[in-house]
């Protein structure tokens, strides 16, 4: 939809622009995460007490740049998180407005914003406590569905195969959560 909004209409051009954007984003993410991994590995010598990545980054910024580094890190996180949150909130509000038009886009946007704010108050530790079991339950099923849809065999596209695979994936997820 966003590519079409830029005036690109043909399916081939949409696919090309989408792939181009994906490659550019992938390269930037690889550089950023590579740099973070490098810094994290190098920082382990003098930040051995750091409990997580946030403590490592904060400690590195303080050590390398002083209080200004902490401010820069805070601004970077704010801009990055604000950008992602804005996109997610808009996408969710657009989807729900399209599926449930009784409520306006702005109403859905306000609902998602308030719910997100309420969840954010819980803190990262509590959010992870809640989300990790849910994701542990859903990821295997999602991966199975993706693999099935990528298979070139006609049997893999039958609804009964998807139902059985989802049930088995769910069962494996539940067993892995229990043990």
């Amino acid at each position: 939809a966003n590519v079409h909004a830029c005036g690109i209409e043909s399916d081939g051009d949409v696919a090309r622009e989408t792939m181009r954007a994906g490659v550019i984003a992938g390269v930037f993410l690889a550089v950023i995460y590579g740099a973070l991994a490098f810094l994290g590995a190098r920082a382990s010598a003098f930040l051995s007490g750091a409990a997580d990545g946030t403590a490592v980054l904060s400690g590195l910024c303080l050590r390398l740049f002083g209080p200004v580094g902490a401010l820069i890190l805070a601004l970077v996180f704010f801009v990055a998180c604000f950008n992602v949150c804005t996109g997610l909130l808009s996408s969710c509000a657009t989807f729900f407005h399209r599926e449930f038009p009784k409520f306006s886009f702005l109403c859905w946007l306000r609902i998602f914003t308030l719910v997100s704010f309420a969840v954010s108050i819980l803190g990262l530790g509590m959010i992870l406590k809640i989300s990790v079991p849910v994701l542990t339950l859903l990821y295997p099923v999602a991966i199975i569905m993706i693999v099935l849809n990528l298979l070139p065999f006609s049997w893999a596209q039958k609804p009964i195969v998807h139902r059985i695979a989802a049930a088995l994936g769910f069962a494996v997820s539940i067993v892995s959560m229990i043990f």
Side-chain angles (χ1 to χ4, degrees):
N2 289 337
V3 177
H4 287 292
C6 292
I8 298 170
E9 295 300 325
S10 78
D11 290 343
D13 290 341
V14 168
R16 189 173 16 270
E17 291 303 315
T18 303
M19 285 189 281
R20 197 172 110 190
V23 168
I24 291 169
V27 167
F28 276 116
L29 286 171
V31 168
I32 289 168
Y33 282 111
L36 287 172
F38 175 77
L39 288 172
R42 302 285 287 187
S44 64
F46 58 87
L47 292 173
S48 59
D52 56 26
T54 306
V56 171
L57 276 176
S58 300
L60 275 172
C61 285
L62 279 171
R63 184 174 173 122
L64 295 174
F65 305 110
V68 174
L71 180 63
I72 291 170
L73 182 64
L75 288 173
V76 166
F77 276 127
F78 175 78
V79 170
C81 292
F82 188 75
N83 184 24
V84 170
C85 289
T86 303
L88 288 173
L89 290 170
S90 296
S91 296
C92 288
T94 299
F95 174 80
F96 275 81
H97 174 61
R98 187 175 62 240
E99 295 299 317
F100 306 101
K102 182 177 179 181
F103 298 107
S104 70
F105 167 83
L106 196 54
C107 180
W108 283 114
L109 185 63
R110 287 179 180 144
I111 290 169
F112 284 117
T113 301
L114 290 173
V115 169
S116 299
F117 180 73
V119 169
S120 74
I121 292 173
L122 298 174
L124 182 60
M126 183 59 75
I127 292 170
L128 289 175
K129 254 186 203 175
I130 294 168
S131 64
V132 167
V134 173
L135 295 177
T136 301
L137 191 66
L138 295 178
Y139 275 172
V141 177
I143 291 169
I144 289 169
M145 291 298 114
I146 290 168
V147 169
L148 277 177
N149 284 312
L150 291 174
L151 291 176
F153 311 112
S154 61
W155 59 264
Q157 305 311 316
K158 296 185 185 285
I160 188 69
V161 173
H162 282 246
R163 288 185 191 114
I164 291 170
L168 290 173
F170 238 8
V172 168
S173 297
I174 290 171
V175 169
S176 71
M177 286 175 58
I178 294 171
F179 301 106

